[in-house]
C-alpha cells in the first residue's frame, strides 16, 4: 500500500511579491506559483486518496466570513482566516485549502484565492505554526509522511523569538516533519546564485530561515534551482508485484526424496510505463431541459463519474457489445444473439471447426504450478532462511561453473508452459536469477537476405566489386565518420573528464512526460497556450551541435566518396499531360492490337482495374471525370443492391481507390462532389432504404472530403471536412 502523505504549502502573496527582479518578465508571485502549481498538480495526477495537501496564504488581506459552532461570526480583521486568528502574530495568515484530496474543481477555486495582496504584514514563522497545527489535527497519531513547504521572498517581518523558535524545532523533530523553504532570489552557494545589493531586512530574514531549516533537519534553497529542476521528469516508483510465487524444483519430489525444492518469488525487472490516456466522458443530462453535451477530457483510466473544470458533473461512457448472425428473415438481414449462445470455433482453412465447452479441455495442456529446472548449459529472491541459503548456493554454483539453467515455468495451474533461461546475477546488495523466455521452434522466423559484402550471380559466381557494393574509399570514409560521431566519450562528468554523452539515467520518454506536462498545465491554465517541452525531453532529439560541427569535414568526404546527389522533388499529378513512353520501334502497340479507348468502360465485375486503366489512357479532364462518374455509379448501385452489409467492404475499397486517384491527379473536386452526393442519397434513403449502417462504416474508414491539407487545389477547408461528417 502506498505511503500516506500530508503536505502543507505556505504561499507568500505579500505586496512585495508583485515586483519583478533579476531580468524576469513575470512577478515574483507568478514565478513562485510556477513551482507551487507544478507540485500540486503532480500530487493531483497521482490520483491517490492517501496523497493529501493543504495551502496557507501568507501576508493576505481581505474580509473573511467564518462559521463557528455557535452561529455566524464576521471577522473584522483583514487578511486573517485561521484557528489562531485572535493573536496578533497570526494576523494576515489565511488557510486557503484545508488538508484533503484535491480534485480539478478544487484547483480552480484555489487558483481564484491565490492573488497578490496589498499588505506586507504577516509572519512566516507563525504561518509555519499554522501548518504544523493543520498537520497535527489531520494526521493525529497515524503514520503519515508530513511535509511543510514555505515559498517566500523573505521581505516581510519575522517574529524570531528564541523560545518560540525552539518549540517549533522540537515539534517538527518530534512529529518527524520535513520543512522545505524555497526563497525567491535567496543566496545559494552550491547552486551558484547570489543576489546583488540585497535588502538588509531580507538578508537578516534569510539568515533566520536558514538557521531554522538547518536546526530541524530541513532544506532551504533558492527558487531558481527549484524551477530549473521542474524540467527533470519524475520517475514513478511502483511497488513490485510478483508474477510467480512457488518452488523452483530440480527433479520430481513426488518420486524422488533427493529432489531439490527451493521457495522463490519472480518479479519483473523492467516494465513499460504508459502515458496518460484520454477517456470519453459525457456531461450529465439536465432533467430540466433534457439536453446533454458530449465532451472528451484527459483523465486517468476509469469509468466513474467526475466533475469537470467548471464543476459540471461528467458521467463515464460505458461500451456495450452486441452479437449478430446473418438471418434472411430478420430485419436488415441480421439477428441479435446472446453471448451465452456463442460457441468457440477454430479457424481451419476457410472454415471454422467447432469445439463445445465439454470438449474444450482437449485443447488445454494439464500443467501444475511450478518452476522446474530441465537441465544446464555452459556459457558461449524473500523466503525462509533455508530457501535463501539454497537459492544462494544454486546462484553461486551456476556462476562458478559458468552455466545457465533451462527451466520450464508454469505461473499458474493449467496455464501454458514456457521455457526460460535462468542466468545468475550477483550484485553487492543482492543475488538473484534473471530469467529470459526462450522461443519454441514455431516462434522462430528465419529470413534469408543477400550478403552485403559480395554479389552472387545466378550461376553462382561471387563478385567482390560491383556498383551496388561499397568500395574501399567509401568504407574508409564511413568508418572515419562513425568514429568522429562517437557519443560514448563526447560527454563530460563533474570533473570535466570524458564520459558517455547520453547515459540511460538521463534519457526520458518525451511522449510520456510531455503529455503529463500538458495535462498538468491545462488543469490550472485552461485558456493559456501550453508551454514548450522541457529542454531535457528534446535534448537528445538531434545530434549535439559540437559533434556535428567537428565531424563536418568527415561528412563532406563521405558524401564525395558516396557520390551523393540531391534527388529532385516528386512531381504531383503523375499522369496529367505526361509524355507517354514509346517503344523503340516507333509502332503503336495499342493500335496494332485494335484497342479502342473511346469504347472502354468501367465494369462492375472488374471495377477498380478498369477504372485505373481508363485513367492511364485519359488525355483530358473530361475523360477523368467520366471515369470517376462511372465508378461512382457502380459504387452507389452496389450499396443499393447490397443484401445487408455484404457488399459494403467492396464499395468502401472502390471509394478508397477513387479518393486516392483523385488526390494523385490533383482533381479533388471530382471526389468531393461524389462524396457530397453519396451522403445526400444515404441520408435521404435513396439507396435501398435505411443505409445509415454504411454511413458509419464510411465514416470509420475516414474517406471524407479531400481538404486543402491533402490537396492544395481542393475546394474544401479542414472545417468543411469536419462538418461533412455531421448528420445535419
Amino acid at each position: 500500500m502506498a505511503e500516506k502523505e500530508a503536505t502543507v504549502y505556505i504561499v507568500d502573496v505579500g505586496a512585495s511579491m508583485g515586483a519583478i527582479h533579476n531580468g524576469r518578465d513575470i512577478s515574483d508571485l507568478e514565478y513562485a506559483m510556477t513551482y507551487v502549481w507544478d507540485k500540486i498538480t503532480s500530487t493531483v495526477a497521482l490520483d491517490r486518496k492517501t496523497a493529501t495537501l493543504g495551502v496557507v496564504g501568507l501576508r493576505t488581506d481581505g474580509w473573511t466570513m467564518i462559521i463557528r459552532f455557535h452561529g455566524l461570526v464576521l471577522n473584522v480583521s483583514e487578511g486573517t482566516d485561521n484557528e489562531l486568528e485572535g493573536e496578533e502574530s497570526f494576523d494576515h495568515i489565511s488557510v486557503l485549502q484545508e488538508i484533503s484530496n484535491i480534485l480539478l474543481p478544487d484547483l480552480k477555486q484555489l487558483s481564484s484565492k491565490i492573488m497578490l495582496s496589498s499588505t506586507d504584514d504577516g509572519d512566516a514563522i507563525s504561518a509555519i505554526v499554522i501548518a504544523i497545527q493543520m498537520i497535527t489535527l489531520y494526521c493525529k497519531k497515524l503514520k503519515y509522511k508530513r511535509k511543510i513547504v514555505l515559498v517566500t521572498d523573505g521581505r516581510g517581518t519575522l517574529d524570531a523569538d528564541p523560545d518560540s523558535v525552539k518549540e517549533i524545532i522540537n515539534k517538527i523533530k518530534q512529529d518527524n516533519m520535513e520543512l522545505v523553504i524555497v526563497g525567491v532570489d535567496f543566496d545559494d552557494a552550491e547552486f551558484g546564485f547570489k543576489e546583488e545589493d540585497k535588502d538588509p531586512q531580507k538578508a537578516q530574514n534569510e539568515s533566520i530561515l536558514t538557521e531554522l531549516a538547518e536546526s530541524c533537519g530541513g532544506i532551504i534553497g533558492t527558487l531558481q534551482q527549484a524551477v530549473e529542476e521542474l524540467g527533470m521528469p519524475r520517475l514513478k516508483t511502483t511497488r513490485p508485484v510478483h508474477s510467480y510465487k512457488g518452488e523452483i524444483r530440480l527433479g520430481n519430489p513426488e518420486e524422488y526424496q533427493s529432489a531439490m525444492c527451493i521457495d522463490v518469488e519472480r518479479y519483473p525487472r523492467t516494465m513499460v510505463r504508459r502515458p496518460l490516456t484520454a477517456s470519453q466522458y459525457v456531461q450529465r443530462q439536465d432533467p430540466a431541459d433534457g439536453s446533454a453535451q458530449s465532451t472528451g477530457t484527459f483523465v486517468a483510466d476509469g469509468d466513474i463519474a467526475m466533475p469537470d473544470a467548471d464543476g459540471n458533473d461528467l458521467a463515464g461512457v460505458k461500451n456495450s457489445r452486441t452479437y449478430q448472425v446473418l438471418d434472411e428473415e430478420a430485419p436488415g438481414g441480421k439477428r441479435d444473439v446472446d453471448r451465452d449462445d456463442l460457441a468457440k470455433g477454430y479457424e481451419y482453412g476457410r472454415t471454422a471447426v467447432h469445439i463445445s465447452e465439454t470438449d474444450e479441455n482437449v485443447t488445454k495442456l494439464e500443467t501444475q504450478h511450478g518452476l522446474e529446472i530441465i537441465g544446464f548449459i555452459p556459457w558461449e529472491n524473500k523466503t525462509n532462511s533455508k530457501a535463501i541459503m539454497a537459492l544462494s548456493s544454486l546462484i553461486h554454483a551456476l556462476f562458478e561453473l559458468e552455466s545457465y539453467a533451462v527451466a520450464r515455468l508454469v505461473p499458474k495451474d493449467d496455464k501454458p508452459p514456457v521455457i526460460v533461461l535462468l542466468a545468475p546475477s550477483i550484485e553487492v546488495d543482492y543475488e538473484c536469477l534473471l530469467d529470459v523466455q526462450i522461443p519454441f521452434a514455431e516462434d522462430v522466423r528465419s529470413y534469408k537476405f543477400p550478403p552485403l559484402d559480395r554479389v552472387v550471380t545466378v550461376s553462382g559466381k561471387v563478385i567482390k566489386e560491383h556498383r551496388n557494393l561499397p568500395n574501399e574509399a567509401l568504407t574508409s570514409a564511413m568508418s572515419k565518420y562513425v568514429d568522429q560521431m562517437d557519443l560514448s566519450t563526447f560527454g563530460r562528468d563533474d570533473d570535466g573528464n570524458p564520459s558517455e554523452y547520453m547515459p540511460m539515467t538521463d534519457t526520458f520518454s518525451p511522449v510520456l512526460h510531455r503529455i503529463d506536462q500538458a495535462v498538468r498545465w491545462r488543469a490550472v491554465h485552461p485558456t493559456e497556450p501550453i508551454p514548450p517541452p522541457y529542454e531535457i525531453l528534446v535534448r537528445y532529439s538531434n545530434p549535439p551541435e559540437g559533434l556535428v560541427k567537428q565531424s563536418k569535414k568527415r561528412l563532406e568526404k563521405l558524401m564525395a566518396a558516396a557520390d551523393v546527389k540531391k534527388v529532385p522533388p516528386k512531381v504531383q499529378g503523375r499522369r496529367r499531360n505526361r509524355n507517354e513512353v514509346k517503344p523503340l520501334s516507333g509502332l503503336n502497340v495499342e493500335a496494332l492490337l485494335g484497342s479502342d479507348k473511346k469504347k472502354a468502360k468501367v465494369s462492375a465485375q472488374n471495377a477498380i482495374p478498369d477504372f485505373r486503366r481508363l485513367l492511364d489512357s485519359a488525355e483530358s479532364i473530361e475523360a477523368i471525370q467520366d471515369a470517376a462518374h462511372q465508378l461512382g455509379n457502380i459504387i452507389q448501385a452496389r450499396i443499393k443492391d447490397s443484401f445487408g452489409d455484404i457488399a459494403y467492404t467492396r464499395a468502401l475499397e472502390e471509394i478508397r481507390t477513387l479518393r486516392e486517384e483523385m488526390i494523385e491527379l490533383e482533381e479533388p473536386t471530382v471526389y468531393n462532389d461524389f462524396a457530397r452526393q453519396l451522403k445526400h442519397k444515404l441520408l435521404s434513403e435513396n439507396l435501398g432504404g435505411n443505409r445509415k449502417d454504411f454511413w458509419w462504416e464510411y465514416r470509420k474508414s475516414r474517406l471524407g472530403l479531400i481538404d486543402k491539407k491533402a490537396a492544395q487545389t481542393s475546394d474544401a477547408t479542414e472545417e468543411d471536412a469536419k462538418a461533412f461528417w455531421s448528420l445535419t
Side-chain angles (χ1 to χ4, degrees):
M1 181 177 178
E3 188 177 12
K4 293 186 288 187
E5 302 176 6
T7 305
V8 174
Y9 293 91
I10 303 173
V11 182
D12 190 346
V13 295
S16 62
M17 292 287 286
I20 300 176
H21 297 95
N22 290 317
R24 294 186 292 267
D25 55 358
I26 57 176
S27 66
D28 291 347
L29 178 59
E30 293 174 303
Y31 190 50
M33 290 310 298
T34 303
Y35 168 79
V36 175
W37 283 131
D38 186 272
K39 293 298 182 181
I40 292 178
T41 53
S42 297
T43 303
V44 175
L46 293 177
D47 193 25
R48 278 178 24 212
K49 292 184 178 180
T50 56
T52 59
L53 62 88
V55 181
V56 174
L58 172 62
R59 297 196 293 172
T60 59
D61 58 13
W63 295 93
T64 305
M65 190 77 72
I66 302 177
I67 300 178
R68 298 292 188 185
F69 286 108
H70 300 289
L72 189 64
V73 179
L74 179 65
N75 180 15
V76 295
S77 64
E78 294 185 353
T80 306
D81 183 7
N82 60 73
E83 295 189 1
L84 303 177
E85 60 186 79
E87 302 180 24
E88 182 179 355
S89 59
F90 295 99
D91 288 345
H92 299 283
I93 300 174
S94 302
V95 178
L96 305 180
Q97 173 67 47
E98 294 286 352
I99 299 178
S100 63
N101 286 111
I102 303 296
L103 300 176
L104 191 56
D106 302 321
L107 284 178
K108 299 301 179 183
Q109 295 179 6
L110 184 60
S111 178
S112 63
K113 294 179 181 178
I114 298 179
M115 58 183 63
L116 193 68
S117 69
S118 58
T119 181
D120 282 327
D121 296 333
D123 179 24
I125 295 181
S126 299
I128 295 177
V129 175
I130 296 295
I132 293 174
Q133 185 183 32
M134 292 172 61
I135 293 177
T136 303
L137 293 176
Y138 181 82
C139 300
K140 298 181 175 63
K141 298 295 183 179
L142 301 176
K143 185 178 179 181
Y144 270 85
K145 183 179 179 181
R146 299 168 168 87
K147 186 176 182 179
I148 299 173
V149 181
L150 170 63
V151 183
T152 179
D153 62 355
R155 297 180 183 274
T157 57
L158 294 181
D159 183 8
D161 179 63
D163 295 335
S164 300
V165 173
K166 186 176 181 180
E167 292 181 6
I168 294 173
I169 295 174
N170 293 335
K171 180 64 175 176
I172 291 176
K173 290 183 176 180
Q174 178 183 347
D175 291 355
N176 197 23
M177 298 183 186
E178 180 185 3
L179 177 62
V180 178
I181 300 176
V182 182
V184 181
D185 298 331
F186 275 24
D187 295 341
D188 192 328
E190 294 183 2
F191 180 68
F193 177 82
K194 181 177 177 61
E195 186 180 20
E196 301 295 336
D197 302 327
K198 188 184 294 289
D199 180 68
Q201 179 67 34
K202 180 180 180 181
Q204 181 181 0
N205 291 343
E206 283 188 33
S207 177
I208 295 173
L209 293 175
T210 301
E211 183 179 357
L212 172 62
E214 293 177 350
S215 299
C216 61
I219 302 173
I220 185 169
T222 184
L223 182 62
Q224 283 83 337
Q225 181 180 5
V227 172
E228 283 189 15
E229 291 180 352
L230 295 180
M232 181 65 66
R234 299 163 180 80
L235 300 183
K236 182 179 180 181
T237 303
T238 56
R239 179 186 177 188
V241 179
H242 59 74
S243 58
Y244 171 79
K245 184 177 182 181
E247 295 179 339
I248 178 173
R249 297 190 290 265
L250 181 57
N252 190 347
E254 297 180 357
E255 298 182 6
Y256 306 100
Q257 295 182 353
S258 60
M260 182 187 70
C261 299
I262 305 174
D263 293 334
V264 295
E265 293 182 3
R266 181 174 182 252
Y267 293 89
R269 185 67 174 265
T270 60
M271 186 171 293
V272 178
R273 182 184 170 188
R274 305 293 181 185
L276 291 174
T277 57
S279 301
Q280 293 295 324
Y281 284 82
V282 64
Q283 187 172 346
R284 288 185 179 275
Q285 187 170 355
D286 187 359
D289 56 7
S291 62
Q293 179 182 358
S294 177
T295 182
T297 181
F298 282 103
V299 295
D301 290 338
D303 57 359
I304 60 174
M306 64 178 294
D308 65 1
D310 300 324
N312 299 322
D313 289 339
L314 298 178
V317 178
K318 295 185 178 180
N319 298 326
S320 62
R321 179 177 296 179
T322 59
Y323 299 89
Q324 295 179 330
V325 295
L326 296 178
D327 188 349
E328 298 180 359
E329 299 179 358
K334 293 183 178 181
R335 174 171 53 86
D336 293 342
V337 295
D338 295 332
R339 178 181 175 82
D340 297 336
D341 297 335
L342 301 179
K344 285 188 176 181
Y346 292 86
E347 186 175 353
Y348 186 74
R350 298 181 61 86
T351 61
V353 177
H354 164 62
I355 296 181
S356 62
E357 293 185 4
T358 57
D359 297 332
E360 192 175 353
N361 290 332
V362 301
T363 65
K364 291 184 178 180
L365 182 64
E366 294 184 3
T367 56
Q368 292 183 350
H369 176 77
L371 175 60
E372 302 176 359
I373 296 178
I374 299 175
F376 302 93
I377 58 175
W379 277 0
E380 306 232 75
N381 275 329
K382 182 171 68 175
T383 56
N384 54 56
S385 57
K386 291 183 179 180
I388 294 175
M389 184 63 67
L391 181 61
S392 178
S393 301
L394 175 61
I395 293 172
H396 281 269
L398 291 173
F399 183 80
E400 293 174 3
L401 295 176
E402 298 184 348
S403 299
Y404 297 124
V406 181
R408 175 179 180 268
L409 173 63
V410 179
K412 294 182 180 180
D413 289 344
D414 295 330
K415 288 289 185 180
V418 295
I419 305 298
V420 295
L421 190 74
L422 301 179
S425 176
I426 302 176
E427 303 294 340
V428 177
D429 52 349
Y430 69 91
E431 301 171 351
C432 68
L433 289 173
L434 302 178
D435 72 80
V436 180
Q437 185 173 345
I438 301 176
F440 292 105
E442 295 81 2
D443 302 325
V444 178
R445 297 291 183 269
S446 299
Y447 300 98
K448 292 184 179 180
F449 298 97
L452 300 177
D453 59 345
R454 62 189 183 278
V455 175
V456 182
T457 63
V458 178
S459 60
K461 183 180 179 181
V462 178
I463 301 176
K464 293 290 186 177
E465 295 183 1
H466 191 270
R467 59 185 179 86
N468 293 334
L469 296 177
N471 53 34
E472 293 184 2
L474 178 58
T475 303
S476 175
M478 176 60 74
S479 178
K480 293 179 181 179
Y481 177 69
V482 171
D483 293 340
Q484 195 73 29
M485 289 290 290
D486 185 12
L487 294 175
S488 60
T489 58
F490 186 73
R492 291 291 182 269
D493 57 15
D494 296 337
D495 298 329
N497 300 320
S499 64
E500 186 180 1
Y501 170 72
M502 199 172 81
M504 186 65 66
T505 54
D506 293 342
T507 308
F508 305 96
S509 170
V511 174
L512 191 152
H513 296 289
R514 176 56 175 166
I515 293 177
D516 182 60
Q517 176 195 7
V519 171
R520 288 188 284 107
W521 177 270
R522 180 59 71 234
V524 182
H525 309 87
T527 57
E528 298 181 15
I530 297 176
Y534 295 124
E535 185 272 336
I536 194 171
L537 297 181
V538 297
R539 178 182 301 171
Y540 304 121
S541 298
N542 298 294
E545 294 183 2
L547 194 61
V548 173
K549 186 176 180 181
Q550 76 178 27
S551 59
K552 183 178 180 181
K553 293 183 179 179
R554 293 291 184 188
L555 178 60
E556 292 175 351
K557 293 181 179 180
L558 175 61
M559 294 174 63
D563 192 21
V564 176
K565 298 179 181 179
K566 185 177 180 180
V567 178
K570 182 180 179 181
V571 180
Q572 295 184 351
R574 59 179 171 87
R575 284 188 287 262
R576 184 191 295 182
N577 299 328
R578 68 176 183 176
N579 295 323
E580 296 185 1
V581 179
K582 296 182 179 180
L584 296 177
S585 62
L587 299 176
N588 190 335
V589 178
E590 293 185 354
L592 294 174
L593 296 176
S595 59
D596 190 353
K597 296 181 181 180
K598 296 182 180 180
K599 296 181 180 180
K601 298 292 182 181
V602 179
S603 63
Q605 294 76 18
N606 200 32
I608 293 179
D610 289 347
F611 173 65
R612 285 176 171 165
R613 194 177 299 112
L614 277 181
L615 293 182
D616 286 336
S617 61
E619 298 179 351
S620 63
I621 297 178
E622 290 75 14
I624 296 174
Q625 294 174 345
D626 179 66
H629 181 69
Q630 292 184 48
L631 182 60
N633 291 339
I634 292 174
I635 294 171
Q636 295 180 18
R638 203 179 299 283
I639 298 171
K640 183 177 181 180
D641 300 335
S642 175
F643 181 74
D645 61 353
I646 292 178
Y648 287 178
T649 302
R650 190 171 180 181
L652 290 173
E653 185 61 28
E654 292 168 349
I655 294 175
R656 187 188 310 278
T657 301
L658 176 60
R659 190 177 190 273
E660 292 174 353
E661 293 294 335
M662 292 303 104
I663 292 176
E664 194 167 0
L665 289 170
E666 297 182 350
E667 293 294 340
T669 305
V670 175
Y671 175 80
N672 291 344
D673 292 342
F674 160 78
R676 294 187 180 100
Q677 182 184 24
L678 178 63
K679 175 184 176 181
H680 174 72
K681 291 186 177 181
L682 286 173
L683 299 184
S684 59
E685 301 183 358
N686 290 336
L687 294 178
N690 187 357
R691 293 289 182 179
K692 287 187 178 180
D693 52 346
F694 178 81
W695 170 257
W696 296 117
E697 294 294 331
Y698 180 42
R699 180 174 182 176
K700 190 192 303 182
S701 302
R702 299 181 179 180
L703 298 175
L705 299 181
I706 301 174
D707 55 19
K708 292 185 178 295
K709 187 177 181 180
Q712 296 181 355
T713 58
S714 174
D715 60 342
T717 61
E718 293 187 30
E719 291 74 16
D720 296 335
K722 293 179 181 179
F724 173 76
W725 297 119
S726 175
L727 294 178
T728 57

